[in-house]
Amino acid sequence: MSNLLALVPLLPAAFALGWWTSRRIAAHRSGAEVSELSSDYFRGLNYLLNEEQDKAIEVFLRLAEYNRDTVETHLALGNLFRRRGEVEQAIRLHQHLVSRPGLSDEMKTVALLELGEDYMRAGLLDRAEALFSDLVAMDAHAPSALRHLVAIYQHERDWHKAIEHARRLEVMTGEDEAPMIAQFYCELADRARQHGAHGEARDYLDKAFECQPDCVRAFMLTGRLQSENGHHDDAVNAYEAAVNADSAFTPDILPPLLNSYARSQQMARAEGFLRDMLGRYHGVSPVLALTDLYRKRDGERAAIDFLTAQLRQRPSVRGLMALIDSTMDKIEGEARENFLILRDLTRKLLEGQAMYRCSRCGFGAKAHHWQCPSCKSWSTIRPIHGVASE
Ligand SMILES: [Zn+2]
């Protein structure tokens, strides 16, 4: 039964293939030939339905020898195999198709693109790269081949080649790839920074800004670079620019920004900036930062008053947690025990929570990624706003 259920998604496509093949065969052949081809076809379909894919492929390949019009059928079947994870079968089928004499250039290109996708799915990235590079060199159906190459170079973290091919893609399609290319430059900048090559990192950041003047990641990296060099005034400028470029990233930007305010002794500027944020940003991070600032400057009472007033306007579990922590010291006896339970529950609630989500595919994550691990889009993973998160 489970075998049968697994095949259910196959059926419409398989019958469509059958209808198409029979129709084409009937149009071209006659009499005994038609009945032989039809019986071959049904034998192949039967093997397919019984999960005897090797035998099915033999039959379908034999059909292809008889009839040169079955290219689309083969492409559809190969695609089906790949989608079902039967990558070896898909590769065999597409390789056979590619090597077939008399195939039109257009169909050969399509078959090669399919074969390249099979290789990618099988993890044979070097073979896929070689195949797509040949296609690009031949100038055949190049946009898809270029897109695949950009994906391969991202996977291999070869950012220079990724940039080169993304630029070629831009020229070919006229589509704007600048935000993605800016991310590639940020990757290079961050790598240089980690190796202590700060001058090189700054050059890459300049290139990122050339691609995307409001690139929030490039501002954040600039801030980090300045801070690591002890230039905390400049770090503050860069981090504030990052918040202004895209306030969605505030929860990630505030901790290093607050550190730079403190290091450059600009706490009045910090208060002004955070106060200003309260009016235009609805998350809880600036509230928590201001609470901390007031605690250090004006004492616990002032901090709790500010936090309580803010939480009435923007309910937040993280805010509640901060309130419990602040209040804890003032409580004794049974009430304190109850508060401990409440704090424990609140902490557990926050622990199980995804703090980030991809706006494209819905992937949830506890930590931030610039490239979505699931759909591979850039800058789509953002902090979640809501009572239990930001
Ligand atoms: Zn995604």
Side-chain angles (χ1 to χ4, degrees):
M1 188 63 191
S2 64
N3 271 354
L4 211 59
L5 281 179
L7 283 167
V8 167
L10 259 176
L11 292 177
F15 285 118
L17 285 178
W19 171 80
W20 187 85
T21 309
S22 318
R23 200 173 61 95
R24 296 300 292 244
I25 289 169
H28 286 87
R29 312 273 165 176
S30 62
E33 243 182 319
V34 169
S35 83
E36 190 190 341
L37 288 184
S38 300
S39 73
D40 267 353
Y41 169 73
F42 281 109
R43 205 149 51 82
L45 188 60
N46 200 32
Y47 283 136
L48 200 61
L49 291 173
N50 285 312
E51 299 249 323
E52 295 182 74
Q53 275 140 353
D54 282 344
K55 287 186 185 168
I57 286 179
E58 291 302 332
V59 174
F60 285 120
L61 291 184
R62 205 164 78 84
L63 269 173
E65 296 302 325
Y66 279 120
N67 191 317
R68 299 206 176 279
D69 295 336
T70 52
V71 178
E72 279 104 342
T73 318
H74 277 74
L75 287 172
L77 198 61
N79 208 311
L80 215 59
F81 281 137
R82 189 173 63 239
R83 276 167 198 272
R84 282 169 48 84
E86 315 276 354
V87 189
E88 272 180 42
Q89 270 92 340
I91 289 177
R92 233 180 103 203
L93 215 132
H94 288 134
Q95 277 176 337
H96 177 272
L97 204 55
V98 167
S99 65
R100 222 166 95 174
L103 199 66
S104 72
D105 284 351
E106 192 194 344
M107 277 301 163
K108 188 161 186 162
T109 303
V110 174
L112 279 169
L113 281 169
E114 292 288 329
L115 185 59
E117 282 197 48
D118 297 340
Y119 287 150
M120 283 179 78
R121 183 73 185 271
L124 304 168
L125 291 188
D126 45 349
R127 278 209 221 173
E129 184 190 338
L131 191 150
F132 290 133
S133 299
D134 285 350
L135 277 175
V136 171
M138 278 158 46
D139 225 19
H141 216 307
S144 332
L146 271 175
R147 269 190 201 97
H148 286 307
L149 281 174
V150 173
I152 288 172
Y153 295 133
Q154 286 177 60
H155 183 83
E156 292 174 341
R157 308 182 68 75
D158 187 338
W159 306 113
H160 289 291
K161 280 194 181 167
I163 290 166
E164 181 199 327
H165 286 80
R167 290 213 189 279
R168 289 175 70 173
L169 188 62
E170 264 189 331
V171 172
M172 188 165 294
T173 62
E175 286 166 20
D176 181 20
E177 306 291 351
M180 182 172 75
I181 297 173
Q183 292 288 330
F184 298 163
Y185 278 120
C186 286
E187 289 284 345
L188 286 167
D190 202 26
R191 188 188 286 172
R193 183 194 63 78
Q194 284 169 31
H195 289 107
H198 286 190
E200 202 182 317
R202 261 190 295 275
D203 289 344
Y204 286 132
L205 287 174
D206 286 344
K207 294 214 164 82
F209 283 125
E210 274 172 32
C211 294
Q212 193 189 0
D214 63 346
C215 178
V216 63
R217 186 182 184 186
F219 281 123
M220 287 169 75
L221 276 169
T222 305
R224 182 152 186 188
L225 216 56
Q226 298 290 9
S227 161
E228 284 177 1
N229 285 313
H231 302 144
H232 297 292
D233 281 351
D234 293 328
V236 164
N237 291 336
Y239 286 129
E240 285 187 353
V243 172
N244 293 333
D246 193 344
S247 64
F249 290 99
T250 298
D252 296 290
I253 304 168
L254 276 192
L257 172 57
L258 291 167
N259 179 52
S260 293
Y261 281 134
R263 294 288 194 92
S264 57
Q265 299 175 329
Q266 299 192 78
M267 293 322 286
R269 179 172 172 179
E271 187 189 1
F273 189 75
L274 291 167
R275 277 270 174 199
D276 180 53
M277 282 211 73
L278 291 182
R280 59 191 169 99
Y281 176 80
H282 299 291
V284 76
S285 290
V287 173
L288 298 180
L290 277 167
T291 304
D292 203 42
L293 192 147
Y294 292 141
R295 179 181 299 114
K296 284 172 186 152
R297 196 185 68 190
D298 308 325
E300 195 69 59
R301 186 69 257 163
I304 291 176
D305 286 349
F306 169 76
L307 181 57
T308 317
Q310 285 296 323
L311 284 181
R312 285 202 185 95
Q313 291 167 33
R314 49 185 107 200
S316 150
V317 178
R318 279 175 66 206
L320 175 67
M321 185 85 185
L323 189 60
I324 294 171
D325 282 340
S326 300
T327 319
M328 202 59 127
D329 294 342
K330 297 174 186 57
I331 302 173
E332 286 170 0
E334 195 184 333
R336 187 180 167 81
E337 290 302 310
N338 290 339
F339 246 69
L340 281 170
I341 294 170
L342 190 60
R343 181 166 76 169
D344 205 35
L345 283 174
T346 315
R347 183 164 289 142
K348 284 199 173 109
L349 184 66
L350 284 176
E351 273 170 9
Q353 206 69 32
M355 299 302 280
Y356 298 87
R357 193 170 308 288
C358 174
S359 60
R360 178 143 321 156
C361 75
F363 178 84
K366 284 192 180 171
H368 181 249
H369 306 264
W370 286 106
Q371 186 179 27
C372 173
S374 177
C375 72
K376 311 293 178 200
S377 304
W378 289 93
S379 276
T380 51
I381 293 204
R382 288 161 170 268
I384 298 172
H385 284 249
V387 173
S389 39
E390 172 65 9

